[in-house]
Tab-separated table of all heavy atoms in Angstrom:
chain	number	residue	atom	x	y	z
A	217	PHE	N	99.494	102.288	109.424
A	217	PHE	CA	99.333	101.897	107.906
A	217	PHE	C	100.712	101.652	107.208
A	217	PHE	O	100.737	101.507	106.049
A	217	PHE	CB	98.534	102.917	107.170
A	217	PHE	CG	97.085	102.776	107.327
A	217	PHE	CD1	96.412	103.293	108.487
A	217	PHE	CD2	96.345	102.208	106.371
A	217	PHE	CE1	95.058	103.169	108.651
A	217	PHE	CE2	94.920	102.050	106.503
A	217	PHE	CZ	94.252	102.504	107.684
A	368	HIS	N	91.622	110.710	90.227
A	368	HIS	CA	92.594	111.791	90.213
A	368	HIS	C	94.048	111.298	90.464
A	368	HIS	O	95.017	112.098	90.449
A	368	HIS	CB	92.261	112.834	91.310
A	368	HIS	CG	92.265	112.351	92.757
A	368	HIS	ND1	91.272	111.596	93.350
A	368	HIS	CD2	93.201	112.453	93.695
A	368	HIS	CE1	91.585	111.278	94.474
A	368	HIS	NE2	92.745	111.707	94.792
A	448	TYR	N	79.046	100.059	103.470
A	448	TYR	CA	79.821	100.514	102.294
A	448	TYR	C	80.044	99.313	101.377
A	448	TYR	O	80.080	98.188	101.808
A	448	TYR	CB	81.228	100.927	102.698
A	448	TYR	CG	81.199	102.085	103.660
A	448	TYR	CD1	81.094	101.882	105.146
A	448	TYR	CD2	81.532	103.388	103.272
A	448	TYR	CE1	81.144	102.845	105.999
A	448	TYR	CE2	81.639	104.397	104.237
A	448	TYR	CZ	81.480	104.138	105.602
A	448	TYR	OH	81.617	105.177	106.456
A	452	GLU	N	84.195	101.508	97.835
A	452	GLU	CA	84.046	102.818	98.418
A	452	GLU	C	84.886	102.950	99.665
A	452	GLU	O	85.667	104.013	99.850
A	452	GLU	CB	82.628	103.162	98.701
A	452	GLU	CG	82.373	104.517	99.335
A	452	GLU	CD	81.001	104.816	99.762
A	452	GLU	OE1	80.033	104.058	99.406
A	452	GLU	OE2	80.799	105.810	100.521
A	453	TYR	N	84.864	101.988	100.550
A	453	TYR	CA	85.577	102.026	101.800
A	453	TYR	C	87.038	102.159	101.532
A	453	TYR	O	87.692	103.025	102.136
A	453	TYR	CB	85.217	100.687	102.543
A	453	TYR	CG	85.621	100.725	103.897
A	453	TYR	CD1	85.001	101.426	104.902
A	453	TYR	CD2	86.623	99.861	104.402
A	453	TYR	CE1	85.335	101.421	106.270
A	453	TYR	CE2	87.020	99.794	105.716
A	453	TYR	CZ	86.378	100.571	106.687
A	453	TYR	OH	86.707	100.463	107.980
A	454	LEU	N	87.535	101.364	100.651
A	454	LEU	CA	89.052	101.349	100.388
A	454	LEU	C	89.454	102.560	99.771
A	454	LEU	O	90.457	103.128	100.054
A	454	LEU	CB	89.471	100.093	99.694
A	454	LEU	CG	89.341	98.783	100.441
A	454	LEU	CD1	89.625	97.524	99.503
A	454	LEU	CD2	90.428	98.685	101.582
A	455	THR	N	88.611	103.051	98.829
A	455	THR	CA	88.972	104.209	98.035
A	455	THR	C	89.071	105.439	99.006
A	455	THR	O	89.926	106.316	98.985
A	455	THR	CB	88.014	104.510	96.884
A	455	THR	OG1	87.948	103.435	96.058
A	455	THR	CG2	88.402	105.775	96.095
A	456	ARG	N	88.070	105.521	99.864
A	456	ARG	CA	88.038	106.652	100.865
A	456	ARG	C	89.322	106.588	101.786
A	456	ARG	O	89.922	107.585	102.117
A	456	ARG	CB	86.846	106.558	101.752
A	456	ARG	CG	85.612	107.154	101.066
A	456	ARG	CD	84.358	106.798	101.966
A	456	ARG	NE	83.128	107.297	101.272
A	456	ARG	CZ	82.553	108.478	101.382
A	456	ARG	NH1	83.132	109.321	102.172
A	456	ARG	NH2	81.502	108.848	100.764
A	457	SER	N	89.697	105.382	102.167
A	457	SER	CA	90.909	105.236	103.074
A	457	SER	C	92.118	105.453	102.275
A	457	SER	O	92.978	106.341	102.572
A	457	SER	CB	90.881	103.933	103.671
A	457	SER	OG	92.050	103.847	104.439
A	458	ASN	N	92.313	104.741	101.181
A	458	ASN	CA	93.554	104.840	100.424
A	458	ASN	C	93.841	106.042	99.624
A	458	ASN	O	94.887	106.663	99.704
A	458	ASN	CB	93.627	103.644	99.424
A	458	ASN	CG	93.623	102.273	100.078
A	458	ASN	OD1	94.113	102.166	101.269
A	458	ASN	ND2	93.150	101.336	99.439
A	459	LEU	N	92.828	106.401	98.836
A	459	LEU	CA	93.038	107.481	97.863
A	459	LEU	C	92.708	108.834	98.409
A	459	LEU	O	93.322	109.797	98.178
A	459	LEU	CB	92.197	107.170	96.640
A	459	LEU	CG	92.622	107.686	95.315
A	459	LEU	CD1	94.023	107.193	94.973
A	459	LEU	CD2	91.656	107.308	94.170
A	460	MET	N	91.717	108.840	99.335
A	460	MET	CA	91.302	110.167	99.977
A	460	MET	C	91.967	110.238	101.408
A	460	MET	O	91.632	111.178	102.069
A	460	MET	CB	89.821	110.225	99.970
A	460	MET	CG	89.237	110.220	98.586
A	460	MET	SD	87.516	109.782	98.553
A	460	MET	CE	86.760	111.343	98.698
A	461	ARG	N	92.780	109.353	101.703
A	461	ARG	CA	93.670	109.382	102.882
A	461	ARG	C	92.851	109.559	104.163
A	461	ARG	O	93.147	110.397	105.099
A	461	ARG	CB	94.716	110.479	102.790
A	461	ARG	CG	95.528	110.402	101.504
A	461	ARG	CD	96.687	111.432	101.514
A	461	ARG	NE	97.647	111.162	102.580
A	461	ARG	CZ	98.471	110.254	102.645
A	461	ARG	NH1	98.614	109.458	101.639
A	461	ARG	NH2	99.377	110.212	103.633
A	462	ALA	N	91.779	108.814	104.230
A	462	ALA	CA	90.934	108.838	105.503
A	462	ALA	C	91.732	108.423	106.671
A	462	ALA	O	91.414	108.859	107.830
A	462	ALA	CB	89.721	107.966	105.365
A	463	PHE	N	92.810	107.652	106.518
A	463	PHE	CA	93.608	107.154	107.638
A	463	PHE	C	94.506	108.255	108.117
A	463	PHE	O	95.132	108.068	109.253
A	463	PHE	CB	94.382	105.875	107.204
A	463	PHE	CG	95.396	106.169	106.182
A	463	PHE	CD1	96.711	106.708	106.581
A	463	PHE	CD2	95.231	106.054	104.808
A	463	PHE	CE1	97.734	106.905	105.600
A	463	PHE	CE2	96.227	106.199	103.914
A	463	PHE	CZ	97.444	106.586	104.268
A	464	ASP	N	94.674	109.254	107.403
A	464	ASP	CA	95.774	110.343	107.761
A	464	ASP	C	95.019	111.456	108.486
A	464	ASP	O	94.189	112.251	107.958
A	464	ASP	CB	96.312	110.828	106.397
A	464	ASP	CG	97.461	111.825	106.609
A	464	ASP	OD1	97.563	112.287	107.792
A	464	ASP	OD2	98.052	112.198	105.665
A	465	ALA	N	95.313	111.607	109.772
A	465	ALA	CA	94.675	112.596	110.615
A	465	ALA	C	94.923	113.977	110.096
A	465	ALA	O	94.093	114.946	110.374
A	465	ALA	CB	95.274	112.454	112.042
A	466	ASP	N	96.028	114.187	109.339
A	466	ASP	CA	96.327	115.474	108.883
A	466	ASP	C	95.618	115.863	107.559
A	466	ASP	O	95.717	116.979	107.055
A	466	ASP	CB	97.879	115.662	108.712
A	466	ASP	CG	98.645	115.510	109.961
A	466	ASP	OD1	97.973	115.865	110.997
A	466	ASP	OD2	99.732	115.102	109.992
A	467	ALA	N	95.033	114.808	106.932
A	467	ALA	CA	94.355	115.056	105.637
A	467	ALA	C	93.065	115.867	105.917
A	467	ALA	O	92.407	115.608	106.898
A	467	ALA	CB	94.016	113.694	104.966
A	468	GLU	N	92.797	116.781	104.934
A	468	GLU	CA	91.691	117.574	105.156
A	468	GLU	C	90.374	116.925	104.763
A	468	GLU	O	90.347	116.030	103.915
A	468	GLU	CB	91.791	118.798	104.224
A	468	GLU	CG	92.472	119.992	104.815
A	468	GLU	CD	92.584	121.093	103.972
A	468	GLU	OE1	91.647	121.468	103.313
A	468	GLU	OE2	93.724	121.763	103.927
A	469	GLY	N	89.346	117.159	105.694
A	469	GLY	CA	88.031	116.570	105.340
A	469	GLY	C	87.968	115.078	105.364
A	469	GLY	O	87.447	114.523	104.453
A	470	THR	N	88.582	114.341	106.318
A	470	THR	CA	88.709	113.012	106.373
A	470	THR	C	87.354	112.312	106.086
A	470	THR	O	86.435	112.393	106.954
A	470	THR	CB	89.235	112.570	107.782
A	470	THR	OG1	90.492	113.194	107.912
A	470	THR	CG2	89.553	111.026	107.731
A	471	PRO	N	87.181	111.616	105.021
A	471	PRO	CA	85.810	111.254	104.575
A	471	PRO	C	85.364	109.884	104.925
A	471	PRO	O	84.910	109.062	104.109
A	471	PRO	CB	85.926	111.425	103.063
A	471	PRO	CG	87.391	111.035	102.759
A	471	PRO	CD	88.171	111.312	103.963
A	472	ILE	N	85.500	109.505	106.212
A	472	ILE	CA	85.015	108.193	106.626
A	472	ILE	C	84.562	108.291	108.055
A	472	ILE	O	85.088	109.062	108.854
A	472	ILE	CB	86.117	107.142	106.380
A	472	ILE	CG1	85.574	105.749	105.993
A	472	ILE	CG2	87.044	106.929	107.581
A	472	ILE	CD1	86.547	104.870	105.477
A	473	MET	N	83.589	107.457	108.432
A	473	MET	CA	83.165	107.345	109.799
A	473	MET	C	83.872	106.196	110.413
A	473	MET	O	83.554	104.948	110.111
A	473	MET	CB	81.650	107.097	109.851
A	473	MET	CG	80.845	108.217	109.432
A	473	MET	SD	80.778	109.626	110.473
A	473	MET	CE	79.926	109.004	111.908
A	474	PRO	N	84.882	106.347	111.328
A	474	PRO	CA	85.542	105.224	111.816
A	474	PRO	C	84.667	104.323	112.736
A	474	PRO	O	84.192	104.908	113.693
A	474	PRO	CB	86.817	105.825	112.625
A	474	PRO	CG	86.420	107.265	112.749
A	474	PRO	CD	85.270	107.676	111.867
A	475	GLY	N	84.475	103.025	112.396
A	475	GLY	CA	83.590	102.223	113.211
A	475	GLY	C	84.308	101.611	114.255
A	475	GLY	O	85.533	101.457	114.300
A	493	THR	N	91.988	97.198	107.256
A	493	THR	CA	91.881	98.660	107.196
A	493	THR	C	90.928	99.186	108.333
A	493	THR	O	91.317	100.151	109.157
A	493	THR	CB	91.342	99.224	105.797
A	493	THR	OG1	92.249	98.927	104.784
A	493	THR	CG2	91.001	100.637	105.827
A	494	GLY	N	89.893	98.491	108.476
A	494	GLY	CA	88.965	98.767	109.586
A	494	GLY	C	89.603	98.771	110.945
A	494	GLY	O	89.455	99.723	111.838
A	496	ARG	N	92.831	99.197	111.558
A	496	ARG	CA	93.816	100.205	111.638
A	496	ARG	C	93.125	101.584	111.848
A	496	ARG	O	93.762	102.563	112.253
A	496	ARG	CB	94.668	100.200	110.335
A	496	ARG	CG	95.745	99.110	110.410
A	496	ARG	CD	96.261	98.855	109.053
A	496	ARG	NE	97.401	97.866	109.090
A	496	ARG	CZ	97.347	96.528	109.321
A	496	ARG	NH1	96.150	95.984	109.470
A	496	ARG	NH2	98.404	95.819	109.375
A	497	LEU	N	91.859	101.714	111.306
A	497	LEU	CA	91.075	102.996	111.488
A	497	LEU	C	90.583	103.183	112.899
A	497	LEU	O	89.946	104.106	113.253
A	497	LEU	CB	90.053	103.040	110.450
A	497	LEU	CG	90.453	103.382	108.942
A	497	LEU	CD1	89.218	103.272	108.106
A	497	LEU	CD2	91.121	104.754	108.851
A	498	GLY	N	90.851	102.145	113.717
A	498	GLY	CA	90.445	102.285	115.181
A	498	GLY	C	89.400	101.334	115.686
A	498	GLY	O	88.854	101.631	116.834
Side-chain angles (χ1 to χ4, degrees):
F217 277 81
H368 63 278
Y448 302 81
E452 180 187 346
Y453 190 71
L454 289 171
T455 304
R456 281 173 183 268
S457 177
N458 296 331
L459 209 57
M460 298 161 89
R461 304 185 65 75
F463 66 85
D464 182 352
D466 296 332
E468 269 180 41
T470 303
I472 213 165
M473 293 291 289
T493 294
R496 284 160 171 78
L497 287 174

